[in-house]
Amino acid sequence: MLKKLSCFFCILLLSGCWDERQYKDFALASMVGHDGKVNDLISYFSVPVINGEEISSIIVKAEGRSTREVRIHANTNTPQNLDVSKLSVLFYSDETLKTDFYQFLDVYFRTAHNRLSTLVGITEGSTKPFLEIGNAENKDAGAYYDDFIKGLAQSSIYPETDLQTICTILFDDGMDLTLPYFGINEEENTPETLGVALFNGKIYSGTFLNVNQAKLLTILKDEIGKYTNLTYIYEGIPVSIEVKRVHRKWDFSHLEKSGKVSMSYDLIIDVQEFSPDHLEDYKNRIELEKFLSKRLKEDTMEMFEVLQETKSDPLGIGRRVRAFHPKVWEKGKWADIFSELTLDIKYDVQIKRTGILF
C-alpha cells in the first residue's frame, strides 16, 4: 500500500511542466516586416485570426527604438501577447539593412523557443505592402512568402537560407551574405523577384544581382535547385537550356604571385527549346556548345565586375584563401583584397539531351 501511495504522489509531482506554453494565450505571428532604423523602427506583424471555419490575417503595427521594444509595444495593440516562435518569414526594407544587420537579429537568437529555420528577405521600399498582398493572396502572409522563397530555391535563383545560416555567414570574414530581393509589380500589384541583394560584411551594399546573374551565382556555388533554366539568342533564334549537373574546379596556384583565381566549370545541360533542331548532327551540337560556353563566360565576367565593385564575396573565395594562402589573407581587409583579384572562368558545356527523342 505504501508503495502505491508513493507512486501516486510521484505522478502528481510530474504531471506539470514549468515551461508549458498554451497557444491559446498568445497571438502567433507568421510573418514580420521591419522598416526604419535603430531608435526609429517600425514593424508590422501578420497575425492569423480564426473566425469559425474561416481564417484571415490582421496586420499589427508598432513603433520603437529596437526590435524588442517594438514587440513590447505591439502587445498593447492586440488582445493577446504576440509570439514569434512560429515565425515563417522575416522581411526587412532595403534602407533598414544599410546599417548593421545583426542588431536586428540578436533578439531572435536570445529566446530558446524561437525558430532558426525562419526565412529572410529584403524588400524594395517598405515591407508593409508586401504583408498586405500576402494576406490578400493566401490569407496568411507567412505561408505565402514561405512558399515564394522556397520556389526561388527550386528555380536556382536563391538557395534556401534560414536565420541559422545567415548568422554563420554574417560573422565569417571570408564570405559575404546574399538575400532574396523583392519588389512590387505596380500593374499587377503582386510581388516579384528582382534578384539577390549583395552584402558587404554585415551591411547591405545597395547593389543587387538580377535574376539571371543570381542563377549564375547559384551555379558557381554548385547549389542549383531542381530547375536551372537559362535562355540565349543563337543566330537570331531563342535557345533555352536546363543545367542538370555542375562540376567545378578552382585553381589558386597563381594567387600569391599574380593575384589570379582561375575557375573551371563543366556543365551538363538539356536543351529545352530550339526550333531549328538538328542537334543530332555532331557539328551543329558542337557549335551550339561553344556558343553557350562563350555566352556563359561573358555573363559571368560581367557578374564578377559587379561583385568586385561592390566588394562582396558571396562565393566564399576568402574562405579558401584564409585556409590555404595565409600570406595573401594577411595583406589587409579581405573585401579590399577581393576587389583587386583577377578572376577568370572557363565553361565547358556538354549537351546531354536535345528533346524527347534524343
Side-chain angles (χ1 to χ4, degrees):
M1 185 65 182
L2 184 60
K3 289 184 177 179
K4 291 182 179 179
L5 287 173
S6 299
C7 290
F8 176 74
F9 284 115
C10 288
I11 290 171
L12 287 178
L13 292 172
L14 296 172
S15 61
C17 295
W18 68 270
D19 62 345
E20 182 181 27
R21 304 172 75 249
Q22 297 285 345
Y23 286 145
K24 64 183 179 64
D25 299 328
F26 297 92
L28 294 173
S30 66
M31 180 174 178
V32 179
H34 295 294
D35 293 351
K37 297 183 179 181
V38 171
N39 295 322
D40 186 22
L41 195 63
I42 303 173
S43 297
Y44 305 94
F45 300 81
S46 176
V47 182
V49 177
I50 300 175
N51 296 316
E53 296 182 356
E54 293 187 0
I55 299 177
S56 59
S57 292
I58 61 171
I59 294 177
V60 178
K61 176 184 175 182
E63 300 180 16
R65 292 167 295 182
S66 69
T67 307
R68 175 67 73 181
E69 186 175 62
V70 163
R71 193 162 37 154
I72 293 171
H73 289 171
N75 288 334
T76 65
N77 301 331
T78 58
Q80 299 167 305
N81 283 343
L82 277 174
D83 186 278
V84 296
S85 63
K86 299 299 179 183
L87 196 62
S88 296
V89 178
L90 265 173
F91 269 7
Y92 294 88
S93 72
D94 46 8
E95 291 300 319
T96 298
L97 294 190
K98 289 181 179 178
T99 57
D100 186 352
F101 187 10
Y102 187 74
Q103 63 187 334
F104 302 107
L105 294 178
D106 180 77
V107 66
Y108 294 104
F109 291 99
R110 287 185 179 272
T111 306
H113 55 257
N114 282 348
R115 289 180 59 184
L116 295 182
S117 57
T118 300
L119 303 177
V120 183
I122 299 183
T123 64
E124 184 181 43
S126 173
T127 59
K128 183 181 179 181
F130 290 87
L131 272 71
E132 292 173 337
I133 291 171
N135 286 340
E137 292 288 334
N138 195 51
K139 297 183 179 180
D140 181 0
Y144 178 78
Y145 287 106
D146 184 79
D147 291 340
F148 202 116
I149 294 175
K150 288 178 179 177
L152 300 183
Q154 282 202 333
S155 301
S156 299
I157 296 172
Y158 181 78
E160 198 171 312
T161 305
D162 55 26
L163 272 177
Q164 185 170 1
T165 307
I166 287 171
C167 189
T168 302
I169 299 174
L170 277 180
F171 288 93
D172 189 340
D173 293 335
M175 185 174 185
D176 286 305
L177 179 67
T178 59
L179 288 177
Y181 190 46
F182 300 104
I184 291 179
N185 186 316
E186 295 183 359
E187 292 184 3
E188 303 293 334
N189 194 35
T190 56
E192 61 181 358
T193 306
L194 300 179
V196 294
L198 300 174
F199 276 71
N200 189 327
K202 298 176 185 176
I203 299 173
Y204 170 48
S205 65
T207 302
F208 65 94
L209 301 178
N210 62 37
V211 171
N212 279 339
Q213 290 173 330
K215 289 181 181 181
L216 290 175
L217 180 62
T218 306
I219 291 172
L220 295 185
K221 295 170 73 173
D222 195 9
E223 294 180 348
I224 61 172
K226 190 174 182 180
Y227 310 104
T228 311
N229 300 108
L230 297 166
T231 299
Y232 291 101
I233 302 298
Y234 176 61
E235 296 181 350
I237 300 168
V239 52
S240 295
I241 64 172
E242 181 179 350
V243 179
K244 306 300 289 186
R245 291 200 304 275
V246 177
H247 176 72
R248 66 176 181 175
K249 183 179 180 181
W250 291 3
D251 181 8
F252 291 83
S253 60
H254 301 287
L255 177 63
E256 296 186 14
K257 290 185 178 180
S258 60
K260 182 178 181 180
V261 177
S262 299
M263 304 178 186
S264 176
Y265 282 78
D266 296 334
L267 304 185
I268 305 298
I269 70 165
D270 290 350
V271 175
Q272 301 290 312
E273 180 184 24
F274 185 56
S275 57
D277 207 359
H278 302 300
L279 292 178
E280 72 279 2
D281 182 83
Y282 178 76
K283 182 180 179 181
N284 292 338
R285 183 190 295 245
I286 292 297
E287 289 300 318
L288 182 57
E289 288 176 345
K290 288 181 179 179
F291 166 79
L292 292 172
S293 298
K294 180 182 177 182
R295 280 303 311 273
L296 284 165
K297 176 172 181 174
E298 290 173 355
D299 290 352
T300 303
M301 294 303 293
E302 288 182 8
M303 185 192 69
F304 283 162
E305 288 183 14
V306 176
L307 296 181
Q308 291 188 289
E309 287 176 3
T310 310
K311 296 185 177 182
S312 179
D313 176 19
L315 290 168
I317 294 174
R319 288 179 168 179
R320 304 274 189 102
V321 175
R322 181 177 57 199
F324 302 108
H325 303 275
K327 291 182 180 179
V328 176
W329 177 262
E330 293 168 0
K331 286 183 178 180
K333 188 177 179 182
W334 173 245
D336 297 327
I337 297 171
F338 172 76
S339 67
E340 299 297 326
L341 293 178
T342 300
L343 301 178
D344 189 33
I345 190 164
K346 177 185 177 183
Y347 284 100
D348 183 8
V349 174
Q350 299 177 35
I351 298 174
K352 186 69 173 178
R353 297 184 60 187
T354 60
I356 193 169
L357 298 178
F358 301 97

